[in-house]
Amino acid sequence: MAAKNTLLLGTRKGLVVYKKNGQSKWTYDRTHFLGIPVTIATIDTHTGTWWALLDHGHWGCKIHRSSDGQTWEEIEAPKYADGDEVKDGVPAVTKLLWAFASAGADKPGEILIGTEPGGLFRSKDNGDSFELVRSIWDHPSRKEQWFGGGRDHPAIHSINVDPRDSNHFYIGISCAGVFETTDGGATWEPRSKGLNADFLPDPSSEIGQDPHLVVMSQVDPDVMWQQNHCGIYKTTNGGKLWQDVGQKEGPANFGFAVAVHEEDPDVAWVVPGISDVVRVAVDQSLCVCRTDDGGESWKDFRSGLPQNDSFDIVFRHALDITGDTLAFGTTTGNLYLSDNLGENWGLMSANLPMVHSVEFV
Amino acid sequence: MAIVKFTANLKRFYPDLQPTQVKGETVSDVVDEIEAMHKGIKDYIVDESGELRKHVNIFIGNELIKDRKALTDRASGNDEIYIMQALSGG
């Protein structure tokens, strides 16, 4: 696997770039789009294209792409058509660009973008044009059973493409749940059995669940992890059944982000917080929890992290891993890095804006 | 012909923006006319349903337009139309 020596942060005030220098030290490089909220920043490894999904406070959502990470081109963001409705009588307009994925190694230039209010868009020409994936937008559950969780409308935040078969992928929606397609997005099935939503009249309903983030093991794609509003879940059979693997009494329970080891599907990390209205680190003590046994047990690591006076929460896209190195950014503008699988942490910056996304590229 | 003036903040994205004379009779017509001169700017002002973005205001003279959904307010010959951002941020 190629070394990832660049760290992209989507923040409330721009895309912040850190680079690893010859002495293996991460240093600040530059900021793009200063002052503009960036929800996702990434590089599509299949084309080398840099992507920045922007959420202007005043001017709407925009997409910028770059071939070199230096100069950027604004392209037209996905749009809903006349007549598309979130609910009957509520026109659908793009409120947030919240998930980005390459459609697969065999489809260079094909990308997928998840949005609020719940539409999945696909481009087959590297962003020159986008088309709403009608099959999931027209899913019979959408208008009646999907709803907003933390946002006004339902929103797609997770897209996981199976590295064995690019026609097989999953999306995660707050609040609707996990959906799977095996035919390139022509048809979809809900994959939320085993999840338990304590905010629903029927907590086991397959529709209406609130996965905060769904991630897929790249070496065993039948294994997926999700940090859910109501716990931590794992599946080992491609979403046919999810198992609650959170700690009922421990810190590893509520949170937004989850990361899975690049080579071991049983190793995963979460960064806990307190649900619901408080939303700070558990006991105001920031920790990262890791399981090495598929969720049977969790260890919490605190070395280098603030204890007793932390207000940090880690948003769903703000934790990433490459090799033994993990990084996460927080709502209070702190950026932490660990070079030993999350056991010890160092503060890289305490002066950032709110961090929306963290990605090694 | 009415004249359209823009908040300076839009010049970050459209550096060539200048006060512009327009023929359109409604604000919607005017926005389309500006879009023809500055491709993509309409998307900064309205969403895909045509509704004025939440944090954008348009004045005709000293009056805020009344129809934020369809922009049917009418402008006449000597009017000045201001496309502004709301006073929000942080």
Side-chain angles (χ1 to χ4, degrees), chain A residues 277-291:
Chain A
V277 294
V278 180
R279 297 285 169 95
V280 299
V282 177
D283 296 329
Q284 285 189 266
S285 299
L286 189 58
C287 72
V288 173
C289 294
R290 187 183 80 201
T291 177

Side-chain angles (χ1 to χ4, degrees), chain A residues 154-294:
Chain A
I156 299 173
H157 46 63
S158 301
I159 306 170
N160 287 287
V161 179
D162 188 336
R164 302 165 301 191
D165 174 8
S166 64
N167 285 322
H168 179 217
F169 53 96
Y170 299 81
I171 57 175
I173 305 161
S174 292
C175 295
V178 180
F179 287 78
E180 177 189 29
T181 178
T182 56
D183 51 18
T187 60
W188 296 85
E189 292 293 332
R191 291 287 179 242
S192 294
K193 280 197 175 75
L195 302 180
N196 192 58
D198 58 18
F199 51 84
L200 289 177
D202 172 11
S204 65
S205 170
E206 266 220 271
I207 308 292
Q209 299 287 335
D210 186 12
H212 283 171
L213 186 73
V214 182
V215 296
M216 172 186 276
S217 165
Q218 293 301 293
V219 293
D220 187 354
D222 290 335
V223 176
M224 291 185 288
W225 291 81
Q226 71 169 272
Q227 174 66 72
N228 186 288
H229 191 86
C230 301
I232 301 165
Y233 291 86
K234 185 187 74 164
T235 176
T236 57
N237 54 14
K240 291 183 179 61
L241 185 66
W242 292 89
Q243 179 187 1
D244 185 351
V245 295
Q247 289 179 308
K248 287 293 158 262
E249 304 302 325
N253 190 0
F254 178 85
F256 294 93
V258 57
V260 59
H261 194 285
E262 290 176 311
E263 295 174 359
D264 187 342
D266 282 336
V267 179
W269 293 260
V270 295
V271 190
I274 301 175
S275 170
D276 271 311
V277 294
V278 180
R279 297 285 169 95
V280 299
V282 177
D283 296 329
Q284 285 189 266
S285 299
L286 189 58
C287 72
V288 173
C289 294
R290 187 183 80 201
T291 177
D292 295 322
D293 53 14

